Amino acid sequence: MSTPSATPGTPTPAATASPAGSGTARTAPGAAPEGGRWGSLGPVGLVLAGGLSVQFGAALAVSLMPRAGALGVVTLRLVVAAVVLLLVCRPRLRGHSRADWGTVVVFGIAMAGMNGLFYQAVDRIPLGPAVTLEVLGPLALSVFASRRAVNLVWAALALAGVFLLSGGGFDSLDPAGAAFALGAGAMWAAYIVFSARTGRRFPQADGLALAMAVGAVLFLPLGIAESGAELIDPVTLALGAGVALLSSVLPYTLELLALRRLPAPTFAILMSLEPAIAAAAGFLILDQALSATQSAAIALVIAASMGAVRTQVGRRRRTEALADLPQGN
């Protein structure tokens, strides 16, 4: 999923170029790359590696669901990731206002909802279509925030992709799975907004670690209710830890390193490729082949995401250029 924002971590096609999603939406803008075009190949590789890690982690999660259930897998992912981030970040608990804590709690709720709905989706529909539908949340946020007529083109492309993916009525996909994926996209958009707010209120990745802990606490009763003692089975624990490391800890770290030298717009465009990466992971690990129509649908949504990002980048550059012009009296 996913994971676009001001704090390291979440997949998002349009997040870093706009208020957002995560992609998301994963972290704050990075510095410009050093060494020109060739100097950016390293961070680009890190971002792509992070995307591969997220989607192959999701594929591993799907294979774990028969053992632990969708809610159990989400619980393991959130709990393990929270423990790792809390140990690494060691966030300060004192000195924060009520508004700070309110923001991080809502961020944690959005994170838990995004993960929970997404795993409910991939338990019912293939990984590629699930990520494609999920990515509509950050894309919609980017389009609405921009308020430019050209974004109607990108919205139309995305809707065309959804229409193809649904076969005119989601006959080819489980309707509940599609609904869960769209819900995950809405939570991804909320994740992006509150990730940015959390990043402004907490230093480094402290807010992310605390929000992950909030999500873990919220999901723990659900995971226990669904999976019970299966959650402490050594094999299940090991696989759950693998999901957490592949889907959360490793990609967040790689993206944080990449964004120190990679421009945020480039990062956002690379995040737009996540539906394609998810489709590849589903095919290679889960044997989930896509039809030609589904592949075309994913391509349309990717094109819409990239177009929305480039539109916002162009608008920002024109605004900055006008601001640099000499002002008359």
Side-chain angles (χ1 to χ4, degrees), residues 150-162:
V150 69
N151 279 302
L152 294 177
V153 176
W154 310 130
L157 271 181
L159 289 175
V162 172

Side-chain angles (χ1 to χ4, degrees), residues 60-81:
L60 177 60
V62 173
S63 66
L64 178 59
M65 284 178 188
R67 175 187 290 268
L71 297 179
V73 172
V74 176
T75 300
L76 288 172
R77 171 181 172 174
L78 292 176
V79 168
V80 173

Side-chain angles (χ1 to χ4, degrees), residues 238-289:
L239 292 173
V243 171
L245 293 174
L246 286 173
S247 296
S248 297
V249 178
L250 181 59
Y252 295 168
T253 303
L254 293 175
E255 288 164 12
L256 181 62
L257 293 173
L259 280 167
R260 290 175 179 172
R261 291 194 295 139
L262 189 68
T266 304
F267 174 83
I269 291 174
L270 290 171
M271 288 295 95
S272 302
L273 298 175
E274 291 219 357
I277 298 174
F283 174 74
L284 293 174
I285 296 181
L286 304 172
D287 198 26
Q288 296 177 341

